[in-house]
């Protein structure tokens, strides 16, 4: 929290970016570097997001994440070669997960944090080993145990050991203490070779004491931790950490508030997706589409069906479901109003508002592009549609592809599709929309 010159508190809305992962993937041996581990967690998060929104893989089974997403969360732009080197390390390193067996299952060892990867200037393509796919896709099981990791705090730590200890202790905040580990088990968990810090005095100084002090004195950290040692005589044979919550005195990121258009959404819609939607639809259209989606979800709830709010909101907004509500209101108004002839004449004599003018302009654009497009051979039409889908942001690709596969060229009858197709063609054909008007 900051103060102005009058010493009055300035209240800011803080949105924590939290990452939900299963215990078995939180508790792994940390043989990889801190950046590699952060990168892997972000890939896990993106995998789960895409799965929840029913976004398909490509023909070869790859999923993709944008470089800008990685840069946004890491806080800087790593070089393409560094990303490639780190992904190669993730592919080669053995993964040991579920280290503390907190979910009741045994520790498991497998080769590779990822199985395949490919990197372009703008995207990272990745595949996980099947066993990790199975763990991630079981996240919604009622018996699963989760951790909500505050990403901004975790990413704030630049030292590997302090970040690992923070992550471990944050997971056991509700219990108040971590499991007991022998010194050898602690070394293994922290990824320390037997030849590193061979004397416990050095291990304690660099891997325990300094990292815990960094966590406890950080203005951003939301917990305090204290190592408790078990001894056999004077020799330390094991340890655990006590964990208590702490009030944060500052925050690493202040995110802008959600646009009012999304106020009725029952799950969080990412700010990047909000910006994409607002570039294509008005706030009113989006708000009405969310309202219509909520009505649909209420109908599903009555039928005791599973509801995926994120996927339904995405479909509702991109297909402009709010138009149904507008049409219903129009019919209701025409049935209820008893307007005199004089009033009608007055209304007719008034100039059209900007909204109707915009609708007229779009009608002209639609007709022009539709005539030119339908005059092309069908195979060329299909090629252009596929090119348009590939050019869109990830948030639209899945819905567009699904509708295209279902409707074929009848997709041209859907305004939600042509709203994206015509601007794509305008750029491709070098025929600006403003020139048509």
């Amino acid at each position: 929290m900051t103060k102005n010159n009058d010493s009055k508190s300035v209240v800011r809305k803080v949105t924590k970016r939290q990452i939900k992962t299963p215990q078995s993937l939180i508790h792994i041996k940390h043989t990889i570097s801190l950046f590699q581990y952060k990168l892997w967690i972000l890939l896990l998060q993106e995998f789960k997001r895409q799965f929840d929104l029913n976004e398909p893989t490509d023909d070869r089974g790859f999923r993709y994440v944008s470089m800008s997403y990685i840069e946004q969360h890491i806080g800087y732009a790593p070089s393409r070669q560094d990303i490639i080197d780190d992904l190669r390390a993730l592919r080669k390193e053995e993964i040991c997960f579920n280290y503390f067996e907190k979910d009741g299952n045994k520790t498991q060892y497998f080769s590779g944090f990822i199985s395949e990867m490919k990197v372009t200037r703008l995207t990272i393509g990745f595949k996980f080993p099947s066993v990790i796919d199975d763990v991630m896709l079981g996240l919604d099981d009622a018996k699963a145990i989760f951790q909500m990791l505050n990403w901004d705090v975790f990413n704030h730590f630049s030292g590997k050991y302090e970040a690992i200890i923070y992550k471990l202790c944050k997971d056991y905040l509700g219990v108040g203490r971590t499991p007991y580990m022998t010194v050898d088990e602690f070394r293994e968990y922290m990824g320390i070779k037997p030849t590193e810090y061979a004397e416990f005095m050095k291990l304690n100084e660099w891997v325990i004491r300094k990292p815990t002090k960094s966590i406890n004195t950080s203005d951003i950290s939301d917990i305090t931790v204290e190592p408790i040692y078990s001894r056999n005589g004077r020799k330390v044979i094991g340890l655990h950490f006590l964990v208590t919550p702490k009030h944060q005195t500052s925050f690493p990121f202040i995110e802008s508030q959600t646009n009012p258009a999304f106020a009725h959404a029952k799950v969080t819609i990412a700010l990047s997706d909000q910006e994409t939607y607002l570039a294509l639809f008005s706030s009113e259209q989006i708000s009405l589409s969310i309202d219509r989606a909520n009505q649909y979800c209420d109908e599903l709830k009555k039928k005791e069906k599973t509801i995926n709010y994120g996927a339904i909101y995405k479909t509702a907004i991109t297909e402009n479901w709010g138009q149904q509500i507008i049409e219903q209101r129009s019919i209701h108004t025409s049935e209820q109003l008893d307007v005199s002839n004089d009033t009608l004449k007055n209304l007719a004599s008034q100039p059209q508002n900007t909204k109707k003018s915009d609708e007229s302009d779009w009608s002209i654009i639609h007709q022009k592009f539709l005539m030119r497009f339908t005059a092309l051979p069908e195979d060329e039409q299909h090629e252009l549609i596929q090119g348009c889908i590939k050019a869109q942001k990830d948030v639209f690709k899945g819905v567009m592809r699904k509708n295209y596969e279902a409707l074929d060229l009848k997709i041209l009858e859907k305004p939600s599709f042509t709203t994206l197709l015509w601007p794509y063609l305008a750029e491709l054909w070098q025929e600006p929309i403003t020139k048509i008007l």
Side-chain angles (χ1 to χ4, degrees), residues 196-207:
E196 295 181 279
Y197 308 117
E199 295 180 7
F200 181 79
M201 183 176 65
K202 292 292 184 182
L203 179 77
N204 188 36
E205 179 183 359
W206 295 103
V207 186

Side-chain angles (χ1 to χ4, degrees), residues 6 13 140 155 173 181 226 238 253 271 282 306 336 339 381 436:
D6 298 328
K13 179 177 180 181
D140 290 329
N155 190 50
L173 179 60
M181 291 174 277
E226 179 187 357
F253 293 96
L271 291 176
S282 68
T306 302
Q336 295 297 322
V339 185
Q381 292 181 39
I436 294 174

Side-chain angles (χ1 to χ4, degrees), residues 9 29 58 63-64 112 151 158 167-168 192 203 234 249 278 304 318 335 337 376 381 398 423:
S9 296
K29 283 199 310 183
D58 69 6
R63 293 189 181 274
Y64 296 86
W151 172 261
S158 57
K167 178 181 58 59
L168 168 66
I192 298 171
L203 179 77
R234 298 181 61 182
T249 56
L278 288 165
E304 298 183 348
T318 56
E335 290 175 347
L337 290 180
L376 299 171
Q381 292 181 39

Side-chain angles (χ1 to χ4, degrees), residues 19-261:
I19 290 185
K20 183 178 179 182
T21 51
Q23 295 295 340
S24 53
L25 296 183
I26 284 290
H27 298 147
I28 65 168
K29 283 199 310 183
H30 294 77
T31 52
I32 55 178
S33 72
L34 177 59
F35 178 83
Q36 289 162 5
Y37 186 52
K38 289 179 178 180
L39 177 60
W40 185 64
I41 287 182
L42 292 176
L43 296 183
L44 289 174
Q45 174 71 359
E46 182 61 15
F47 172 94
K48 188 64 169 56
R49 185 194 71 80
Q50 292 182 19
F51 178 80
D52 286 345
L53 294 178
N54 296 320
E55 293 182 10
T57 62
D58 69 6
D59 295 339
R60 296 181 56 198
F62 279 93
R63 293 189 181 274
Y64 296 86
V65 61
S66 67
M67 285 291 192
S68 61
Y69 175 85
I70 300 297
E71 293 169 8
Q72 175 191 354
H73 283 75
I74 295 296
Y76 66 95
S79 72
R80 182 171 177 270
Q81 188 56 51
D82 285 344
I83 290 285
I84 291 173
D85 292 342
D86 287 319
L87 289 172
R88 282 176 174 166
L90 288 172
R91 188 180 60 190
K92 294 176 182 177
E93 287 291 333
E94 180 184 61
I95 176 172
C96 161
F97 65 86
N98 201 26
Y99 190 80
F100 292 111
E101 302 182 1
K102 189 174 176 181
D103 60 0
N105 295 314
K106 293 184 177 181
T107 304
Q108 298 184 63
Y109 293 81
F110 292 92
S111 178
F113 285 71
I114 60 175
S115 58
E116 292 185 56
M117 59 86 172
K118 56 183 178 180
V119 182
T120 68
R121 186 172 61 86
L122 299 176
T123 62
I124 297 173
F126 61 94
K127 291 183 190 179
F128 287 124
S130 59
V131 66
I132 294 180
D133 280 0
D134 293 341
V135 171
M136 289 300 294
L137 299 183
L139 270 177
D140 290 329
D141 189 302
K143 295 180 181 178
I145 305 173
F146 303 103
Q147 181 208 47
M148 295 299 286
L149 177 67
N150 186 331
W151 172 261
D152 288 337
V153 177
F154 175 62
N155 190 50
H156 162 72
F157 295 118
S158 57
K160 175 179 176 179
Y161 302 135
E162 64 195 56
I164 295 171
I165 292 174
Y166 167 80
K167 178 181 58 59
L168 168 66
C169 292
K170 183 64 184 289
D171 188 44
Y172 285 91
L173 179 60
V175 181
R177 55 164 290 169
T178 66
Y180 171 80
M181 291 174 277
T182 66
V183 171
D184 288 341
E185 287 171 338
F186 178 73
R187 284 179 175 277
E188 183 181 25
Y189 182 74
M190 300 296 286
I192 298 171
K193 298 175 182 178
T195 54
E196 295 181 279
Y197 308 117
E199 295 180 7
F200 181 79
M201 183 176 65
K202 292 292 184 182
L203 179 77
N204 188 36
E205 179 183 359
W206 295 103
V207 186
I208 302 174
R209 285 293 181 188
K210 284 193 174 182
T212 54
K213 182 180 178 181
S214 178
I215 294 170
N216 295 338
T217 57
S218 169
D219 290 337
I220 293 172
S221 176
D222 52 359
I223 59 174
T224 58
V225 300
E226 179 187 357
I228 303 297
Y229 304 101
S230 295
R231 301 176 184 273
N232 184 359
R234 298 181 61 182
K235 181 180 180 181
V236 174
I237 59 173
L239 73 156
H240 67 274
F241 294 91
L242 297 181
V243 193
T244 55
K246 183 182 76 167
H247 175 70
Q248 293 168 284
T249 56
S250 67
F251 301 97
F253 293 96
I254 304 296
E255 296 189 353
S256 58
Q257 295 190 24
T258 298
N259 187 287

